[in-house]
Amino acid sequence: MKIKTLEDAFIHSLSDIYSAEKQLTKALPKLARAAHNQRLADGFEGHLEETEDQVARIEKIVEECGIRLQRVKCTPMEAMIEESANIIENVEEGPVRDVLLIAGAQKVEHFEISAYGTLIELARQLDYEDAVNLLEDTLVEEKACDKKLNKLALNDVNEEALREAA
Ligand code: FE
Ligand code: FE
């Protein structure tokens, strides 16, 4: 597909994040199983449910805007997921690995926050008001997830990891 108009750009960006969210629905259960800290595991489980809703929201946008998504693979997301898989493979289960899993998850959330920020503004320009609202719902969830991960690191996991070394 040739990208020429702002609508093309919107469709392309939406297709990209759709691929990203789909990949995450497969990766999050693995992260939940790999997490040592129970609250981190629960956090990954909870965000899996939200991610499934986010996929459904994108499908709703497609329907309401009468557009068709492109078949694209979000390669940055693929790379970030791959990085976490390497951590799981190469670092023993425990707080130190949790620190790295949180860091990886926060990279993912920041990527999503950025992508949804762009999409919201494009949808606004194109007068896709329903899409704006749906995308904003998702953005709220991504920001909350990032905050939760941050708190978990600062209040729990980083400290546990430091004691691990001692
Ligand atoms: Fe998401
Ligand atoms: Fe997310």
Side-chain angles (χ1 to χ4, degrees):
M1 178 205 180
K2 266 199 185 143
I3 299 171
K4 282 187 180 168
T5 64
L6 192 66
E7 187 178 44
D8 297 339
F10 175 71
I11 293 169
H12 176 76
S13 305
L14 193 65
S15 306
D16 197 61
I17 198 71
Y18 186 69
S19 160
E21 298 289 14
K22 285 279 223 183
Q23 293 181 55
L24 286 166
T25 59
K26 290 189 191 127
L28 282 163
K30 293 176 194 163
L31 290 167
R33 279 196 298 275
H36 178 72
N37 181 289
Q38 189 56 46
R39 265 186 288 170
L40 180 58
D42 294 345
F44 284 137
E45 289 281 358
H47 201 52
L48 171 62
E49 277 175 39
E50 287 177 332
T51 300
E52 281 161 355
D53 291 343
Q54 294 168 0
V55 168
R57 277 187 204 119
I58 295 172
E59 287 164 356
K60 203 168 168 199
I61 290 168
V62 166
E63 226 181 273
E64 281 177 5
C65 298
I67 55 175
R68 266 176 62 185
L69 291 182
Q70 298 169 244
R71 277 175 171 276
V72 290
K73 182 146 208 180
C74 179
T75 50
M77 188 56 71
E78 190 179 29
M80 284 189 276
I81 289 170
E82 170 86 27
E83 204 176 309
S84 289
N86 286 339
I87 300 286
I88 293 169
E89 208 182 298
N90 296 310
V91 185
E92 213 175 290
E93 185 186 329
V96 173
R97 187 166 81 178
D98 280 357
V99 166
L100 292 172
L101 293 181
I102 291 174
Q106 284 194 276
K107 279 185 201 164
V108 167
E109 295 314 311
H110 281 242
F111 177 89
E112 293 182 300
I113 288 165
S114 164
Y116 281 105
T118 300
L119 279 164
I120 288 164
E121 289 315 313
L122 296 185
R124 224 191 288 281
Q125 288 289 324
L126 294 163
D127 285 323
Y128 288 149
E129 273 316 309
D130 293 337
V132 169
N133 291 329
L134 289 163
L135 293 164
E136 275 174 345
D137 290 346
T138 294
L139 182 60
V140 166
E141 290 173 351
E142 309 296 24
K143 284 184 177 168
C145 178
D146 177 56
K147 256 200 189 144
K148 209 167 152 185
L149 287 164
N150 212 40
K151 263 196 189 158
L152 203 52
L154 295 179
N155 297 344
D156 275 304
V157 178
N158 289 357
E159 194 67 34
E160 285 169 29
L162 189 66
R163 281 199 300 271
E164 186 91 333

